[in-house]
Amino acid sequence: PVLDALQARVEISNQNLRAAEARYRQAQALADGARASWFPTLNATVGATRSATAAATATAGSAPPKNSFSLGATASWEADVWGRIARNVEAADARLEASEADLAAARLSAQAALAQSYFQLRAADRQKQLLDAAVVAYARSLQLTQNRYAAGVAGKADVAQAESQLRSARASALDASLSRSQYEHAIAVLVGQVPAGFAIAVVDAPLPTAQVPVVLPSTLLERRPDIAAAERRVAAANSAIGAAQAARFPVLGLSASAGFRRSDLVDLLTVPSRYWSLGPSLAAAIFDAGAKKAVVGQAAASWEESVATY
């Protein structure tokens, strides 16, 4: 029960887990941002300018300043013809799943470290009990030896040996106490508590021993969160290659704008002030000195690295 209660506190107090949860939320936000590329982008603009230009002749002087007011909206949307956006979404989703597995690995690591420290603390408790009993026994033995020495039955060497055994037992008991304090402080750090204000009571009851099977199926490896995270990073790197290759093809987009533009503010929202535009666009890089090819090569090398790690 004590260990179960401590494990529950790891979930909410451990700073490493909080950092892993923050990284998971970052990956989730990146995945949401990548998925937003499927939808159009809408923008609103409001502007007011005052400008003047020089006259065409020197004798005419300067032209009077003019005002210009505008109110409009623009929309743009990229057609995913080559699958670049889809592969970016796939890569972001795979990274999110890898981050989720990293969070599970961090949680499992903290729980395992806590369990190990707890059982080592209980072992130090048992050792301390044995050494305390030994100190009592050696103290009694010293008293008996001193009585025998006083009666002339034992020699001075016997008394010195009994004193040495007692001092050694007391030193060992002190070391056991120090070890227990170190394990207790380690547990305090794992549960996010200040070691000075954290304590675990000594338990005399025997600890139950878990029955672990000798042979386990190899498929259990797939349940390890670190292996699952490595596999998801392979998938993300593979999708990144597709996104980098699709970026070498032209980008087909559709843009539209509408609004009002007028030199007089009072006549801004009138029918003669309206304007609109709508049309597709096709943009392609003619020469980039191999930049996009290098990006594809980088993505392929990153995939090979992730495969080797997996």
Side-chain angles (χ1 to χ4, degrees):
V2 177
L3 180 57
D4 290 339
L6 291 172
Q7 292 286 11
R9 296 173 65 179
V10 170
E11 295 286 338
I12 59 175
S13 300
N14 186 268
Q15 300 301 320
N16 291 331
L17 279 182
R18 289 187 177 181
E21 289 172 353
R23 288 191 294 268
Y24 172 75
R25 291 195 299 270
Q26 292 175 19
Q28 191 172 32
L30 290 174
D32 293 339
R35 196 170 287 105
S37 300
W38 290 109
F39 303 96
T41 301
L42 302 177
N43 297 303
T45 59
V46 177
T49 58
R50 181 175 177 83
S51 60
T53 58
T57 61
T59 58
S62 300
K66 295 182 179 180
N67 298 325
S68 178
F69 304 95
S70 63
L71 173 64
T74 61
S76 60
W77 177 69
E78 178 183 345
D80 193 22
V81 179
W82 315 109
R84 182 184 65 86
I85 297 178
R87 300 310 295 271
N88 281 331
V89 172
E90 291 176 1
D93 288 340
R95 294 190 186 97
L96 175 60
E97 293 172 350
S99 179
E100 184 178 5
D102 288 339
L103 174 58
R107 181 180 294 109
L108 181 61
S109 176
Q111 291 171 342
L114 174 60
Q116 291 172 350
S117 298
Y118 181 80
F119 289 123
Q120 288 170 338
L121 180 139
R122 291 311 181 196
D125 285 341
R126 296 304 175 86
Q127 187 177 13
K128 180 68 165 53
Q129 292 174 1
L130 292 174
L131 291 172
D132 288 341
V135 168
V136 174
Y138 283 130
R140 180 174 176 78
S141 176
L142 175 61
Q143 183 64 40
L144 292 175
T145 303
Q146 288 175 341
N147 293 338
R148 295 178 64 201
Y149 176 74
V153 179
K156 187 67 174 179
D158 296 330
V159 176
Q161 182 179 3
E163 291 177 346
S164 176
Q165 290 175 339
L166 178 59
R167 293 193 188 98
S168 178
R170 287 174 175 172
S172 298
L174 183 61
D175 290 339
S177 298
L178 179 60
S179 297
R180 188 191 191 281
S181 299
Q182 291 174 342
Y183 293 133
E184 193 174 55
H185 293 172
I187 293 174
V189 173
L190 287 171
V191 299
Q193 298 293 319
V194 179
F198 180 82
I200 298 178
V202 178
V203 177
D204 296 332
L207 294 177
T209 303
Q211 298 296 328
V212 180
V214 179
V215 180
L216 296 172
S218 60
T219 54
L220 285 178
L221 290 175
E222 298 177 356
R223 296 173 55 183
R224 277 180 45 176
D226 55 341
I227 293 181
E231 189 275 332
R232 287 291 81 199
R233 288 189 172 90
V234 172
N238 182 69
S239 299
I241 295 176
Q245 291 176 341
R248 304 176 67 179
F249 299 103
V251 177
L252 177 61
L254 181 65
S255 60
S257 62
F260 299 89
R261 186 182 296 115
R262 196 73 172 180
S263 59
D264 296 326
L265 183 59
V266 293
D267 298 330
L268 179 61
L269 300 178
T270 58
V271 175
S273 303
R274 292 185 304 176
Y275 72 90
W276 64 270
S277 65
L278 174 67
S281 62
L282 189 65
I286 299 176
F287 176 74
D288 62 358
K292 288 184 172 59
K293 181 179 179 181
V295 173
V296 174
Q298 178 184 2
S302 178
W303 176 80
E304 293 178 357
E305 178 187 4
S306 62
V307 169
T309 303
Y310 174 57

